[in-house]
């Protein structure tokens, strides 16, 4: 049976209580649920394994920069019930760390590497957390808002 | 190429052709250019159209080569990232002299749409290797690349082996 975001939120709230922070259902954007970063692995396992939820597909996983904080956004979809939900976690900018959900959905592997590459978010428990797009010796995290383009890379001038 | 094959030619019956070494070498080089294709982005898609039967790139005497050691010129088509720039330099150095480069599309010419915020993009492939022909466009039509190829042939046909360069 297809569930609405509010129903999914209620189910999570009854299971995890304080770890589920809020739900936002603004018009013009998909509804999303903000959750506690420490509990994200348990929440994802619950979302996947509970029969009436059955989120069997991770559509995408993105890093975010909210200026004062970093964050991760998880877009989940259920091919069985044809419903979807967005999870968000807010992370500390100095020590951005969140449990890896690579064990829940394998597609998270490269997505988490990308978020690490671009935002420097550490995914605890990831089997191979190295840069995926930038060169391995790249310095800094390019998609952060305070990122400065380097003057030189291996002797090549970077700015125009 | 200067051919002496007139009726009053004393060499007529001997089957002799006269010309300069320069013309002969330039003719050979200009009419059978084998290329190393460096397809990096959407320009490479346009280049595939160039290679297909409608535009038929091979009528210029070009043959695609997988190895830089067998290639006479290189077509850099697409966005040159800093990660790839080192590889391009390495492959260019492996090509045998004389070697030429066609830079295809805005990205390879000058960085294209990534010129300002492209932290990862080399702003023009001419920063690492010398470029002979620039083909503008985003991406260029196959006709533009044809023109670029003819410009390269023109350049090769006019080059001097000895003395001052033209």
């Amino acid at each position: 049976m297809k569930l609405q975001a509010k129903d999914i939120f209620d189910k999570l709230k009854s299971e995890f209580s304080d770890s589920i922070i809020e739900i936002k259902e603004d018009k013009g954007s998909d509804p999303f649920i903000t959750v506690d970063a420490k509990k994200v692995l348990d929440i994802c396992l619950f979302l996947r394994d509970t029969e009436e939820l059955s989120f069997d597909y991770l559509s995408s996983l993105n890093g975010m920069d909210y200026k004062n904080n970093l964050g991760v956004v998880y877009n989940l979809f259920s091919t069985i019930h044809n419903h979807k939900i967005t999870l968000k976690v807010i992370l500390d900018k100095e020590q951005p760390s969140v449990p890896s959900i690579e064990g829940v959905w394998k597609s998270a592997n490269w997505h988490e590497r990308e978020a690490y590459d671009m935002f420097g978010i550490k995914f605890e428990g990831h089997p191979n957390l190295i840069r995926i797009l930038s060169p391995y010796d790249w310095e800094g995290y390019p998609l952060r808002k305070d990122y400065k383009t380097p003057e030189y890379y291996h002797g090549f001038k970077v700015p125009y | 190429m200067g051919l002496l094959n007139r009726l009053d030619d004393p060499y007529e019956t001997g089957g002799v052709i006269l010309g300069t070494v320069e013309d002969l070498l330039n003719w050979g080089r200009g009419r059978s250019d084998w290329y190393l294709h460096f397809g990096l982005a959407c320009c490479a898609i346009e280049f595939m159209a160039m290679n297909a039967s409608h535009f038929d790139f091979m009528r210029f005497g070009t043959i695609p080569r997988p190895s830089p050691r067998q290639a006479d010129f290189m077509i850099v088509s697409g966005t040159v990232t800093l990660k790839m720039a080192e590889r391009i330099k390495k492959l260019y150095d492996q090509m045998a002299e004389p070697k030429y480069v066609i830079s295809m599309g805005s990205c390879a010419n000058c960085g294209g749409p990534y010129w300002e915020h492209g932290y990862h993009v080399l702003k023009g492939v001419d920063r690492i290797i010398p470029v002979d022909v620039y083909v503008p466009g985003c991406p260029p039509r196959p006709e533009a690349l044809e023109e670029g190829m003819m410009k390269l042939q023109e350049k090769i046909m006019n080059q001097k082996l000895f003395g001052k360069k033209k």
Side-chain angles (χ1 to χ4, degrees):
Chain A
M1 193 185 73
K2 187 173 176 174
L3 294 179
Q4 297 303 313
K6 189 81 184 117
D7 308 329
I8 297 166
F9 176 75
D10 292 339
K11 277 196 188 305
L12 285 174
K13 195 79 184 167
S14 62
E15 181 75 20
F16 293 98
S17 62
D18 288 349
S19 301
I20 311 299
I21 296 163
E22 59 171 351
I23 180 170
K24 280 229 170 96
E25 291 180 291
D26 297 338
K27 273 186 184 167
S29 71
D30 282 346
F32 64 84
I33 299 171
T34 310
V35 303
D36 183 11
K38 290 188 195 77
K39 283 280 183 189
V40 77
L41 184 60
D42 297 335
I43 292 167
C44 286
L45 277 170
F46 177 76
L47 285 171
R48 186 190 68 178
D49 295 336
T50 311
E51 206 170 309
E52 56 266 39
L53 295 169
S54 295
F55 284 100
D56 53 355
Y57 182 63
L58 177 73
S59 305
S60 69
L61 185 159
N62 312 92
M64 294 286 282
D65 189 340
Y66 299 110
K67 244 173 185 177
N68 300 321
N69 290 293
L70 294 173
V72 183
V73 179
Y74 305 84
N75 291 94
L76 308 178
F77 181 69
S78 168
T79 58
I80 296 156
H81 301 302
N82 196 23
H83 56 213
K84 59 183 179 179
I85 195 64
T86 304
L87 295 185
K88 289 191 182 182
V89 298
I90 308 292
L91 305 172
D92 178 38
K93 191 153 193 177
E94 301 305 316
Q95 297 272 324
S97 168
V98 64
S100 169
I101 57 157
E102 196 267 345
V104 187
W105 297 285
K106 284 286 168 192
S107 62
N109 191 319
W110 281 17
H111 286 148
E112 288 182 349
R113 278 177 66 187
E114 190 198 15
Y116 166 71
D117 191 354
M118 294 293 151
F119 295 95
I121 296 162
K122 304 275 186 301
F123 291 89
E124 305 293 337
H126 191 285
N128 185 30
L129 195 65
I130 54 172
R131 287 183 185 272
I132 188 168
L133 297 167
S134 311
Y136 295 135
D137 59 351
W138 193 263
E139 282 171 18
Y141 302 105
L143 288 192
R144 284 199 187 182
K145 286 191 193 294
D146 54 3
Y147 179 73
K148 293 271 184 296
T149 306
E151 281 293 309
Y152 285 92
Y153 172 74
H154 285 197
F156 306 139
K157 188 164 169 272
V158 180
Y160 185 74
Chain B
M1 185 179 255
L3 296 177
L4 275 179
N5 200 9
R6 296 191 300 273
L7 285 172
D8 56 346
D9 181 3
Y11 304 108
E12 189 205 346
T13 49
V16 175
I17 301 171
L18 291 182
T20 61
V21 177
E22 201 172 80
D23 282 340
L24 184 69
L25 286 177
N26 285 347
W27 175 66
R29 278 175 187 162
R31 295 292 181 259
S32 73
D33 284 317
W34 294 4
Y35 64 94
L36 177 71
H37 182 214
F38 222 108
L40 297 173
C42 41
C43 282
I45 305 292
E46 215 66 15
F47 189 77
M48 288 174 211
M50 181 77 194
N51 260 322
S53 53
H54 194 89
F55 293 97
D56 191 14
F57 198 34
M58 275 200 181
R59 69 197 150 112
F60 290 100
T62 57
I63 300 177
R65 302 310 299 173
S67 161
R69 294 171 206 283
Q70 299 166 348
D72 297 308
F73 74 100
M74 178 196 258
I75 295 182
V76 183
S77 50
T79 317
V80 184
T81 57
L82 294 168
K83 202 174 177 181
M84 192 53 99
E86 290 173 318
R87 277 79 170 172
I88 290 182
K89 181 97 179 70
K90 194 174 275 178
L91 287 171
Y92 178 78
D93 289 343
Q94 286 175 356
M95 284 166 69
E97 294 276 0
K99 49 192 175 185
Y100 310 94
V101 176
I102 293 180
S103 162
M104 181 185 179
S106 293
C107 292
N109 290 344
C110 63
Y114 311 102
W115 71 277
E116 193 174 9
H117 299 296
Y119 60 89
H120 61 302
V121 176
L122 189 74
K123 311 298 187 299
V125 74
D126 52 1
R127 290 191 179 186
I128 50 166
I129 56 176
V131 175
D132 294 284
V133 178
Y134 297 88
V135 181
C138 188
R141 296 261 319 149
E143 290 93 326
L145 191 62
E146 267 173 3
E147 170 107 27
M149 188 61 217
M150 285 190 278
K151 286 275 177 225
L152 182 67
Q153 283 185 335
E154 201 178 287
K155 181 170 180 165
I156 295 171
M157 295 300 272
N158 287 327
Q159 70 188 357
K160 287 272 213 185
L161 286 182
F162 307 106
K164 230 173 128 184
K165 282 192 174 161
K166 272 182 195 171

